[in-house]
Amino acid sequence: MKLYFSPLACSLAARIVFYEAGADAEFVYVETKAKQVADGSEFHALNPIDQVPILITDEGERLLENAAILQYVADRIPGGLAPASGLERARLQQWLSFVGTELHKACFVPLLDEKAEPAVKAYARDKLPARMAALEHHLSQSAFLLEQLSVADAYLTAVLNWAAHVDVDLGKWPAVKGYFRRMLQRPSVARALAEEVALYQAQQARRASA
Ligand SMILES: N[C@@H](CCC(=O)N[C@@H](CS)C(=O)NCC(=O)O)C(=O)O
């Protein structure tokens, strides 16, 4: 499988999943600002809304949207990172939706977006406590989002990793902070983050000198 990614973006979740399972994948760097793809592909043709992640399956099919990509990948690699069916599968989708819509898009995107007006950022910051409190309640009773590690934890880890960059103090939610610390200690997460931090720093240096 081939994953188009941008360093430290939400595409980090799929990298964590591949590493967690010890599975092979090809990672293709996308410079989202310049809309350039390292392998020469036309970014807009890969995703008409110019976003990562983009997955190309082994059969050459293109798949968009993190929640769909994470489930597709989990179903095809070892590791049991997605329950097969039934209520547990629905619970996985519940958490993927929560992370994707309530945290990623509703709160963190406006906080991260340098073009967002102060009022937009204030609106997003105002939404965060109730969502984080719900997460805190859950993670004070459970080590993972489901009963065991799943792709939803990889997505949540990628999102929580943005907190420090937007002045969100995870210390206000001790169970969430403890969960994030434990996730950072997983070899898959440590490896994925170390690689993407290095790529992110190189990207920032290139942008600064452009
Ligand atoms: N709904 C999409 C959102 C993906 C998304 O927000 N990607 C961001 C990075 S985390 C992106 O590519 N941003 C670049 C841009 O919008 O220019 C998904 O779940 O895959």
Side-chain angles (χ1 to χ4, degrees):
M1 287 180 263
K2 188 195 278 195
L3 180 81
Y4 289 88
F5 78 99
S6 175
L8 303 184
C10 53
S11 45
L12 173 67
R15 185 188 292 271
I16 292 171
V17 166
F18 281 116
Y19 291 174
E20 186 69 38
D24 282 338
E26 183 186 346
F27 298 98
V28 182
Y29 171 78
V30 179
E31 171 47 272
T32 47
K33 269 207 171 149
K35 305 191 196 305
Q36 281 170 354
V37 184
D39 69 359
S41 305
E42 169 53 47
F43 188 33
H44 195 66
L46 284 169
N47 184 348
I49 59 168
D50 302 323
Q51 290 189 328
V52 292
I54 301 158
L55 186 84
I56 307 297
T57 71
D58 289 342
E59 293 74 33
E61 294 289 335
R62 183 173 50 99
L63 189 63
L64 304 177
E65 295 293 327
N66 215 9
I69 289 171
L70 291 170
Q71 290 180 79
Y72 181 88
V73 170
D75 288 345
R76 275 152 192 85
I77 61 177
L81 291 169
S85 60
L87 184 61
E88 273 304 288
R89 185 65 173 223
R91 288 240 187 275
L92 173 68
Q93 291 163 345
Q94 172 192 314
W95 282 114
L96 287 170
S97 293
F98 176 82
V99 174
T101 63
E102 301 300 337
L103 294 180
H104 176 181
K105 285 293 173 179
C107 298
F108 281 95
V109 164
L111 295 177
L112 286 162
D113 190 341
E114 53 204 31
K115 289 190 217 134
E117 299 289 339
V120 173
K121 288 186 186 290
Y123 178 85
R125 206 170 280 282
D126 193 48
K127 293 269 171 214
L128 196 59
R131 285 148 183 77
M132 292 300 282
L135 197 56
E136 174 72 10
H137 178 71
H138 184 75
L139 291 176
S140 63
Q141 298 170 0
S142 177
F144 301 109
L145 291 174
L146 301 183
E147 281 180 11
Q148 58 185 34
L149 183 78
S150 73
V151 293
D153 295 297
Y155 193 4
L156 180 56
T157 300
V159 170
L160 292 178
N161 188 52
W162 300 328
H165 302 279
V166 291
D167 199 24
V168 168
D169 177 14
L170 292 183
K172 288 182 194 155
W173 305 282
V176 176
K177 187 171 181 179
Y179 163 88
F180 183 53
R181 274 215 192 109
R182 289 195 309 280
M183 289 300 295
L184 292 180
Q185 284 163 5
R186 297 188 78 85
S188 62
V189 177
R191 178 184 164 202
L193 263 177
E195 290 175 2
E196 293 214 0
V197 165
L199 290 166
Y200 179 80
Q201 286 168 346
Q203 178 191 66
Q204 295 306 303
R206 275 194 306 276
R207 284 179 180 176
S209 66

